[in-house]
Amino acid sequence: MDAVAAFLPYFFQGIWVTLQIFVLGLALALVVAFLTGLGRMSPVRLIRWPCAVFIEVFRGTSAIVQLFWFFYALPLFLDIRLSPLLAGVLVLGLNQGSYAAEVVRGAVQSVPRTQWEAATALNMPKGTTLRKVILPQAFVGMLPPLGNVAIDLMKNTSLVSLVTVLDLTYRAQLIRATTGETTIIFGILVVVYLILTNAISLLRRTLERRMPAGLAYAPGKE
Amino acid sequence: MYWDWNFAWQSVPTLLEGLWVTIQLTLGGSVLALLLGLLLAILRRTPFAPLRWLIGAIIEVLRGTPFLVQLFFVFYVLPKYGIQLPVLATGIIVLGLNYSAYTAECYRAGIEGVPQGQWEAGKALNLSTGRIWRAVILPQAIPRVIPALGNYVNQMFKDSAIVGAIGLFELLTTAKQIGGLTYRYLEPLTMAAALFLAISYLASIGVRRLERRMGAAGELAEPAAADSAAAGRS
């Protein structure tokens, strides 16, 4: 136990690395989700098809396969060398973004057609309709599944330890190898991840409660 | 860009050996997750509260921590207490345990979708609780969640690549090894990714077809309940 205690400050510095990857990855995932999720519904084929291919490819392989590809194969493919941290953020953002894209699409499609028709009747341009009428209503339905995406993203940050990013998991492995106190350090690691994922669900619940009431369409009470 | 088709095709036979290990992992993990998940879902409805809390806590921990960390935990901690398992067995057990938490929620949605009247009718006919489960509830609850369970099996197939982290030569690790030996990562990793993509894409088409057939057959099914379970693991 004393052996581990000496390493604890080093271990807990890993939280910042994990959080950094999580926040940057989530930001990228949200941008990707809205771009490709809406793009997949575009009437223009040249936009719709690439978005659909992107989503299917990134959902059809797992984050770890993509991570290894970006880390080991991409430098040979395009002569781009990414730092491990950047590769991690990029892969997690694109991977979870492709899942979130389907969430965005599903939520937008579940807003009743009449909302589009009403906007058309008011002579509102398509873009404005999407921004001012459809998305604000769709967002209520997106929040719970996007919370799941964020939790998955948090758990997947542990994968970057496999490409030598010094996150919580990597540091726990180092401490295990140095001290041999396997049970204690992995026990602490499990508890830290539990706290992090539960913090995200708590945040989601708070956001859900604060969602504006009185929309024409509310999921669950159609 | 240095793509060499010859080298790409040469690596395929070795990759297929890795794929076989991946399939063993997926099948073993699926059997475990499908059985254990059902057990957890049923036990979670026991009238004995402490057992209910315990099951709830187990599911909470399994869902709240990364699969990789669970894998490391079992791989490094169990031997400390004298339990030595082969790597493949460790992979199957952790994969099955991890996903049982998700399948349990899935079964739960199916079980809660069976109308209360079915329980009452079973009791009125003086059936034992076990008999009501076996003959009345489960035959109605399970078919409607089969597509969602199929999604989890597909997800398990993709996630099984993580088991390479404890030294099992499944598809991804095999590709990485070829890359390490030849200093050419691009072709084997791309071919491995293509294999993952092709199989999981076909599987997802299969699941979608199953969904449509189930949708036509199971009018009792409450789509909202099944959906929220499927969204549990995006």
Side-chain angles (χ1 to χ4, degrees):
Chain A
M1 185 65 218
D2 286 348
V4 172
F7 283 101
L8 280 183
Y10 174 75
F11 173 74
F12 282 109
Q13 280 161 24
I15 288 187
W16 297 114
V17 180
T18 293
L19 283 179
Q20 193 186 352
I21 296 167
F22 170 73
V23 170
L24 294 175
L26 188 63
L28 178 61
L30 288 177
V31 172
V32 167
F34 277 93
L35 284 181
T36 60
L38 295 175
R40 200 177 183 176
M41 293 180 287
S42 162
V44 184
R45 260 182 233 150
L46 265 170
I47 298 175
R48 192 169 70 232
W49 286 352
C51 288
V53 169
F54 166 83
I55 292 171
E56 290 304 331
V57 167
F58 275 85
R59 277 163 49 103
T61 52
S62 57
I64 186 172
V65 174
Q66 292 155 21
L67 188 64
F68 280 10
W69 198 91
F70 272 70
F71 191 69
Y72 291 105
L74 187 68
L76 301 163
F77 189 58
L78 288 176
D79 215 15
I80 299 174
R81 188 161 282 283
L82 300 172
S83 76
L85 189 85
L86 187 60
V89 168
L90 205 60
V91 163
L92 292 178
L94 294 176
N95 178 265
Q96 296 297 326
S98 68
Y99 284 101
E102 293 290 84
V103 171
V104 169
R105 183 169 71 120
V108 167
Q109 281 175 345
S110 67
V111 175
R113 274 217 68 79
T114 47
Q115 296 287 315
W116 284 100
E117 287 159 10
T120 312
L122 292 171
N123 212 11
M124 210 183 255
K126 270 250 155 85
T128 316
T129 308
L130 189 66
R131 269 201 323 279
K132 301 259 155 145
V133 180
I134 305 300
L135 281 181
Q137 299 185 69
F139 196 70
V140 186
M142 273 180 224
L143 209 56
L146 283 185
N148 282 331
V149 168
I151 290 171
D152 278 344
L153 180 63
M154 172 53 82
K155 290 190 285 178
N156 276 341
T157 57
S158 64
L159 296 178
V160 299
S161 67
L162 299 174
V163 292
T164 69
V165 176
L166 286 167
D167 75 326
L168 284 168
T169 306
Y170 192 90
R171 286 168 198 248
Q173 277 279 46
L174 281 181
I175 296 168
R176 174 196 63 77
T178 321
T179 65
E181 297 282 359
T182 309
T183 315
I184 295 170
I185 190 63
F186 279 153
I188 296 174
L189 183 65
V190 164
V191 171
V192 170
Y193 275 117
L194 267 180
I195 292 172
L196 289 173
T197 51
N198 274 297
I200 300 172
S201 6
L202 205 69
L203 197 68
R204 168 177 64 179
R205 245 170 286 152
T206 315
L207 279 177
E208 269 171 48
R209 253 201 312 267
R210 291 194 173 186
M211 265 343 246
L215 295 169
Y217 155 76
K221 59 172 198 185
E222 291 159 62
Chain B
M1 190 180 145
Y2 316 93
W3 177 269
D4 179 355
W5 274 111
N6 257 334
F7 181 55
W9 291 121
Q10 264 169 27
S11 63
V12 167
T14 320
L15 288 179
L16 288 180
E17 282 170 34
L19 179 62
W20 172 232
V21 178
T22 293
I23 289 173
Q24 282 172 286
L25 266 176
T26 310
L27 290 181
S30 300
V31 170
L32 194 59
L34 292 178
L35 292 177
L36 201 60
L38 184 59
L39 188 69
L40 288 176
I42 293 173
L43 286 182
R44 218 182 178 179
R45 290 179 66 99
T46 165
F48 184 54
L51 183 60
R52 235 172 23 232
W53 294 332
L54 180 69
I55 302 284
I58 291 174
I59 291 179
E60 221 19 63
V61 171
L62 287 173
R63 287 169 67 110
T65 53
F67 174 60
L68 178 68
V69 171
Q70 295 168 9
L71 194 66
F72 281 158
F73 196 92
V74 171
F75 184 70
Y76 291 109
V77 173
L78 284 193
K80 289 253 160 185
Y81 299 95
I83 305 169
Q84 291 276 3
L85 291 169
V87 199
L88 180 65
T90 306
I92 288 176
I93 290 171
V94 180
L95 205 56
L97 272 174
N98 181 265
Y99 272 88
S100 69
Y102 296 96
T103 54
E105 294 294 299
C106 202
Y107 285 121
R108 182 166 81 153
I111 292 167
E112 282 172 0
V114 177
Q116 191 61 30
Q118 298 285 319
W119 285 97
E120 287 156 11
K123 258 183 218 134
L125 291 170
N126 209 14
L127 299 179
S128 68
T129 311
R131 185 93 193 274
I132 297 177
W133 272 114
R134 275 198 318 278
V136 182
I137 305 302
L138 292 183
Q140 297 181 73
I142 293 177
R144 68 182 67 167
V145 295
I146 286 175
L149 292 174
N151 271 331
Y152 285 128
V153 171
N154 194 5
Q155 196 76 37
M156 223 184 294
F157 166 71
K158 291 183 279 175
D159 266 0
S160 69
I162 297 174
V163 181
I166 56 168
L168 184 70
F169 281 91
E170 41 65 58
L171 180 51
L172 181 66
T173 314
T174 306
K176 219 181 110 203
Q177 191 204 23
I178 299 175
L181 291 174
T182 57
Y183 295 104
R184 300 226 44 165
Y185 283 102
L186 177 59
E187 291 87 351
L189 278 176
T190 309
M191 293 306 267
L195 279 171
F196 270 116
L197 181 62
I199 295 174
S200 86
Y201 189 67
L202 287 178
S204 74
I205 291 176
V207 169
R208 232 171 289 161
R209 221 173 255 179
L210 212 59
E211 249 161 23
R212 230 172 299 142
R213 262 193 31 205
M214 290 293 173
E219 304 83 15
L220 262 177
E222 273 175 293
D227 279 352
S228 64
R233 181 150 193 143
S234 38

